[in-house]
Amino acid sequence: MKLNAIIVEDEQTSRDILKNYLKKYCPNIIILGEAANVEEGLVLIRNNDLDLVFLDVEMPYGNAFDLLDKVGDIDFETVFVTAYNHYAIDALNAHASYYLMKPISIDELIKAVDYVTEIKAKENALQDQILVPNTNGVNGKITIPQLDGFEVLNTGDILYCKADDNYTEIYLNNEKKKIVSKTLKYFEDALNGSSFARVHKSYLVNVNEVVKYVKGKGGSVVLSNGKEIMVSASKKAALLAYFK
């Protein structure tokens, strides 16, 4: 997996060496920028969505720990890169993922990147999980992943879901729309047991929001917001079973 990273290091030569090593031996690292001091590093951290920061300890006008204190709520991994081994305990206390000594060992650098990659992969796997709602109808809840966590939706607030290739558009009764990187089949399975019916290859509707059925080979349903959705002939019987 790709990881967005920055380098905070006051020596240009050291930055160049690290960038070259990463490009050659750790191609999954995308360097978004580099900084020579605490203030420049703080700007990069605040303006980028980062997975990893390579951080020297001693810099002009402050050190790595001053930078981390200014950041506050840290949501990225940190790899310390320094010529001094006596900062190791402080780095551990700052929840560093890895501690690299200069001159940088290529093997150790690869280990550090592999370790952080494994951490981020586990985090992403957890974040991408969508909780299946309880089978208690519209009183259930479902979560949808976001970059900074997940959002909880009441299933009863969902009017319908529409397929868009490998994405799903979720339309809510407050006229808002959510786009989620999950297939419609995923939501069909997740909402199984709630009042949702797959009426078409591209649509999953909340049957509690259906206000009218229009006859036809498959027919169509009209939802409470006025949206009319075609019903596939093969899905007609399953839909009408909700209203018997």
Side-chain angles (χ1 to χ4, degrees):
M1 64 181 296
K2 299 293 185 181
L3 299 180
N4 292 333
I6 63 169
I7 299 172
V8 184
E9 158 71 64
D10 64 315
E11 296 180 0
Q12 181 68 54
T13 301
S14 295
R15 294 200 300 271
D16 290 342
I17 291 172
L18 180 54
K19 282 190 298 182
N20 289 335
Y21 282 175
L22 289 169
K23 182 178 180 180
K24 186 173 182 179
Y25 300 105
C26 307
N28 66 315
I29 299 297
I30 302 172
I31 301 298
L32 299 182
E34 52 186 275
N37 55 54
V38 169
E39 292 305 319
E40 291 178 3
L42 188 61
V43 171
L44 283 178
I45 289 171
R46 287 177 173 170
N47 292 334
N48 290 282
D49 182 18
L50 298 175
D51 300 300
L52 173 60
V53 174
F54 292 95
L55 186 57
D56 187 17
V57 177
E58 294 192 350
M59 292 176 285
Y61 315 112
N63 61 31
F65 306 107
D66 297 325
L67 173 58
L68 295 176
D69 284 342
K70 290 184 178 183
V71 172
D73 187 14
I74 297 172
D75 59 358
F76 52 82
E77 301 302 316
T78 306
V79 171
F80 280 78
V81 186
T82 179
Y84 307 97
N85 59 15
H86 57 271
Y87 290 113
I89 298 300
D90 291 331
L92 288 174
N93 290 335
H95 305 292
S97 298
Y98 216 91
Y99 195 88
L100 290 174
M101 293 292 298
K102 296 178 182 178
I104 296 173
S105 160
I106 294 173
D107 288 341
E108 286 299 308
L109 176 61
I110 294 172
K111 286 181 183 178
V113 170
D114 285 347
Y115 182 66
V116 172
T117 302
E118 183 179 351
I119 291 173
K120 300 306 291 187
K122 289 179 180 178
E123 287 181 359
N124 289 345
L126 180 61
Q127 179 175 301
D128 285 345
Q129 288 179 355
I130 295 182
L131 304 181
V132 177
N134 296 326
T135 55
N136 57 352
V138 296
N139 293 320
K141 294 182 183 294
I142 192 169
T143 65
I144 57 175
Q146 297 180 327
L147 288 177
D148 59 349
F150 60 84
E151 181 178 359
V152 181
L153 299 179
N154 290 318
T155 57
D157 292 337
I158 300 173
L159 287 174
Y160 65 95
C161 302
K162 179 182 177 182
D164 183 10
D165 292 328
N166 290 324
Y167 290 81
T168 296
E169 299 174 358
I170 301 176
Y171 290 82
L172 305 175
N173 56 21
N174 58 6
E175 299 185 354
K176 290 184 178 180
K177 178 175 75 171
K178 308 288 183 180
I179 300 177
V180 187
S181 58
K182 296 289 185 181
T183 64
L184 188 62
K185 180 63 166 61
Y186 186 93
F187 282 98
E188 181 181 12
D189 292 340
L191 292 166
N192 183 35
S194 298
S195 299
F196 284 82
R198 184 77 174 262
V199 298
H200 188 276
K201 67 177 182 179
S202 298
Y203 288 95
L204 180 70
V205 302
N206 183 345
V207 295
N208 287 320
E209 297 294 333
V210 173
V211 296
K212 184 178 181 181
Y213 173 75
V214 180
K215 290 182 178 180
K217 183 176 181 181
S220 64
V221 290
V222 179
L223 303 182
S224 59
N225 67 342
K227 172 72 174 179
E228 185 171 3
I229 296 174
M230 298 300 296
V231 178
S232 298
S234 61
K235 306 290 186 182
K236 179 178 178 179
L239 170 68
L240 296 182
Y242 279 93
F243 300 97
K244 287 183 177 179

